[in-house]
Amino acid sequence: MSRNLKELEACIGYVFSDKQLMKRAVTHSSYANEHRLSKMECNERLEFLGDSVLEVVSSDCLYHKYPEKPEGDLTKIRASIVCEPTLAYCAEALKLGEYLLLGKGEEGTGGRGRASIVSDAMEALIGAIYLDGGFANAKEFILRFIMNDLEHKQLFYDSKTILQEIVQGRTDEPLSYELLQEKGPDHNKVFETQVLIGKKVIGKGAGRTKKAAEQVAAYHGILELKSMETVPAPKSKDNNAGKKG
């Protein structure tokens, strides 16, 4: 069962005038098919629209935020923000998956946590806000929930590559990932993974796939290494200081 959509409105800070538009944004095609609704009643058209609005807003935001970066760098950053894993990461913060209307089959196979489904729903929600409240409201939503904390989102998107480069620049010890455990039924598993430098664990993560779990572990590994850089070295103490011979 999906949660009350009023809760989602409170979470995103936007109240829809057209409640049916909001409902359509969270209606997956599997639900529409199962309930014999028109193809137009699922969120695919809104996703198409929201994707375009997201690209415009994200491009505008990055253009002004990084005036010194060339087109190629801006394109790479935008790709890291609007890709499926990062949008799913943003959707998770809103618990968007809990509000989706899914068919029984999709529900039973863990659809609420599937990155492809929740990222599409995120774009559909953008499209719905755009139609209901105009460009300014859609832009406000995107800036608040997607274009925030850009540095961390870029790290998250390319975490395994970035971590590999950091480790190679610091040590000859190997970087490796270990699967700690698998939980849940076959159709809805959660994998837990840790990442190590040599034998030292520097990060752990969980995800619906092994790859996703490794990505989260690498992200936490990067944060751990960065935090170690900011810790001041302990001051040496002369135990004989101030003592008389």
Side-chain angles (χ1 to χ4, degrees), residues 213-231:
E214 289 178 357
Q215 183 181 25
V216 177
Y219 172 69
H220 288 297
I222 294 169
L223 297 184
E224 173 65 18
L225 295 180
K226 285 183 173 289
S227 70
M228 291 168 62
E229 291 176 353
T230 62
V231 176

Side-chain angles (χ1 to χ4, degrees), residues 197-215:
I197 299 177
K199 295 183 178 180
K200 182 181 179 182
V201 177
I202 60 169
K204 295 183 179 181
R208 299 282 180 171
T209 65
K210 292 179 183 178
K211 183 178 178 180
E214 289 178 357
Q215 183 181 25

Side-chain angles (χ1 to χ4, degrees), residues 17-202:
S17 297
D18 185 347
K19 303 300 183 185
Q20 289 302 311
L21 194 58
M22 184 186 191
K23 182 178 179 181
R24 193 182 311 154
V26 298
T27 300
H28 188 254
S29 57
S30 63
Y31 182 92
N33 292 336
E34 189 173 289
H35 290 77
R36 299 186 179 183
L37 302 177
S38 163
K39 184 72 173 177
M40 304 301 177
E41 292 302 309
C42 74
N43 63 9
E44 291 177 350
R45 281 169 53 84
L46 288 174
E47 175 208 338
F48 163 79
L49 179 60
D51 175 69
S52 297
V53 176
L54 174 59
E55 184 164 338
V56 170
V57 174
S58 59
S59 299
D60 177 75
C61 175
L62 296 175
Y63 181 87
H64 290 95
K65 184 175 179 63
Y66 301 113
E68 77 291 351
K69 290 188 181 295
E71 178 268 344
D73 289 348
L74 294 176
T75 299
K76 184 177 179 181
I77 296 172
R78 185 180 63 194
S80 73
I81 302 302
V82 302
C83 68
E84 180 181 294
T86 308
L87 287 179
Y89 176 76
C90 297
E92 187 176 331
L94 296 173
K95 294 182 169 54
L96 184 57
E98 297 181 12
Y99 299 94
L100 299 182
L101 296 174
L102 301 174
K104 291 180 181 178
E106 203 65 64
E107 178 90 54
T109 55
R112 293 190 186 280
R114 190 167 296 127
S116 59
I117 291 178
V118 294
S119 62
D120 287 350
M122 194 73 169
E123 291 180 330
L125 187 58
I126 293 169
I129 294 172
Y130 171 76
L131 289 179
D132 190 73
F135 184 79
N137 282 301
K139 180 178 180 179
E140 183 179 342
F141 173 84
I142 292 168
L143 294 179
R144 180 180 176 187
F145 294 106
I146 298 176
M147 301 304 294
N148 61 331
D149 204 7
L150 292 181
E151 180 182 353
H152 280 181
K153 285 194 170 76
Q154 289 177 69
L155 289 180
F156 178 79
Y157 167 74
D158 211 15
S159 56
K160 292 184 71 174
T161 301
I162 293 171
L163 180 59
Q164 184 73 41
E165 292 173 351
I166 292 173
V167 172
Q168 286 178 343
R170 293 187 180 189
T171 179
D172 291 329
E173 290 192 272
L175 181 70
S176 61
Y177 295 86
E178 290 184 357
L179 180 64
L180 295 175
Q181 62 174 329
E182 301 177 21
K183 298 188 296 184
D186 288 341
H187 64 265
N188 194 21
K189 279 191 179 297
V190 174
F191 298 87
E192 292 186 5
T193 301
Q194 65 183 14
V195 59
L196 307 89
I197 299 177
K199 295 183 178 180
K200 182 181 179 182
V201 177
I202 60 169

